[in-house]
């Protein structure tokens, strides 16, 4: 759970004798694909002489690139979403889990009636919200645990180094570093009933992504001088 920055996964808590069927699903740390690349390259200006060598020689560029597929999440019911019996329309009001007659803790999951994946998702509509519907009062929803995935995560760091010789083994290193140099925003779908309204059927933001990924940082630039001896 800590690895994927996710929280409660919407466990049903309705039939403790049948947990294997109800809560069998993808793990919280299920990152399907991850690409990481580290580059270190010294610019080829070793054979030049004179002032040009001092200005152009010794430059080194470095980069770290990370691209991974999205984190999984569960669709759960907002408080009192399960369909209540017509004789008592408020029977489930105020409870997060309507599958159990005793209203046990933890949000339950609704029914899924067709695939929810969209061919062109956006932050305004990340999945097909019509794929989910409240289950009957007192029943267990069919939506699988951690069945959907959020947006990809992309991050590129870049740096430029150069050593300026001063005397014998004494050198002055100039460093220019950029973190998330492309300033690419990274979003995610929180999977916690307290901070993930986009995953909760019955919420006005259901299906929408409004949160930045916890690992996201906007572009940062820094410059430094380092004395090496």
């Amino acid at each position: 759970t800590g690895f994927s920055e996710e929280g409660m996964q919407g466990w049903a808590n309705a039939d403790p004798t049948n947990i294997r069927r109800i809560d069998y699903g993808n793990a919280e740390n299920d990152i399907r694909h991850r690409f990481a690349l580290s580059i270190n390259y010294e610019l080829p200006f070793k054979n030049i002489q004179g002032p040009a060598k001092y200005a152009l020689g010794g430059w080194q560029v470095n980069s770290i690139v990370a691209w991974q597929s999205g984190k999984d999440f569960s669709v759960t019911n907002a408080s009192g979403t399960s369909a209540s019996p017509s004789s008592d329309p408020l029977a489930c009001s105020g409870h997060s889990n309507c599958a159990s007659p005793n209203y046990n803790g933890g949000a339950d999951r609704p029914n899924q009636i067709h695939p929810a994946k969209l061919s062109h998702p956006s932050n305004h509509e990340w999945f097909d919200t019509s794929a989910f519907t409240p289950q009957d009062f007192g029943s267990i929803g069919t939506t699988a645990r951690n069945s959907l995935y959020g947006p990809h995560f992309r991050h590129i760091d870049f740096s430029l180094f150069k050593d300026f010789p001063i005397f014998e083994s004494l050198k002055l290193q100039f460093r220019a570093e950029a973190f998330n140099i492309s300033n690419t925003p990274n979003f995610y779908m929180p999977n916690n009933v307290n901070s993930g309204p986009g995953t909760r059927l019955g919420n006005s933001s259901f299906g929408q992504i409004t949160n930045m990924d916890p690992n996201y940082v906007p572009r940062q630039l820094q410059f430094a001088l380092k004395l090496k001896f």
Side-chain angles (χ1 to χ4, degrees):
T1 299
F3 178 81
S4 63
E5 302 288 348
E6 303 292 8
M8 300 170 64
Q9 302 299 307
W11 52 287
N13 198 27
D15 185 357
T17 66
N18 207 2
I19 293 177
R20 184 181 182 89
R21 180 184 69 83
I22 298 172
D23 280 338
Y24 182 85
N26 298 316
E28 285 80 10
N29 58 356
D30 182 16
I31 304 296
R32 290 296 172 100
H33 307 284
R34 177 172 172 83
F35 173 80
L37 175 66
S38 178
I39 301 174
N40 303 95
Y41 180 70
E42 184 175 352
L43 300 182
F45 297 123
K46 291 184 177 181
N47 297 326
I48 57 177
Q49 300 297 326
K53 179 178 181 180
Y54 192 83
L56 300 177
W59 286 102
Q60 177 180 313
V61 295
N62 313 278
S63 182
I64 298 176
V65 179
W67 191 323
Q68 71 180 30
S69 55
K71 302 166 183 174
D72 53 3
F73 62 90
S74 299
V75 171
T76 60
N77 283 318
S79 179
T81 303
S82 301
S84 302
S86 57
S87 59
D88 187 4
L90 299 179
C92 198
S93 177
H95 299 281
S96 60
N97 185 343
C98 301
S100 169
N102 296 321
Y103 308 120
N104 286 334
D108 59 347
R109 296 187 296 273
N111 283 335
Q112 183 169 352
I113 55 178
H114 59 76
K117 185 177 181 179
L118 295 175
S119 56
H120 299 287
S122 66
N123 284 3
H124 182 70
E125 187 180 17
W126 186 252
F127 56 86
D128 186 356
T129 57
S130 68
F132 302 95
T133 184
Q135 78 273 33
D136 291 334
F137 178 72
S139 66
I140 300 171
T142 60
T143 300
R145 181 176 183 269
N146 287 337
S147 57
L148 296 178
Y149 289 83
H152 289 194
F153 181 90
R154 298 152 295 174
H155 190 93
I156 301 176
D157 296 334
F158 182 84
S159 64
L160 185 65
F161 292 3
K162 176 177 169 58
D163 287 341
F164 293 91
I166 299 177
F167 177 75
E168 294 182 351
S169 62
L170 188 63
K171 297 179 182 179
L172 183 66
Q173 184 183 78
F174 168 76
R175 306 163 62 97
E177 298 168 305
F179 303 95
N180 189 14
I181 189 172
S182 60
N183 204 30
T184 301
N186 287 291
F187 302 93
Y188 94 126
M189 185 71 83
N191 204 12
N192 189 305
V193 296
N194 297 317
S195 62
T199 65
R200 306 196 68 191
L201 176 63
N203 191 289
S204 60
S205 301
F206 183 55
Q208 300 178 16
I209 295 180
T210 58
N211 291 66
M212 306 301 295
D213 191 284
N215 295 313
Y216 162 76
V217 292
R219 179 169 52 218
Q220 298 176 352
L221 303 176
Q222 69 181 29
F223 302 91
L225 291 175
K226 182 179 181 180
L227 190 62
K228 301 172 65 177
F229 56 91

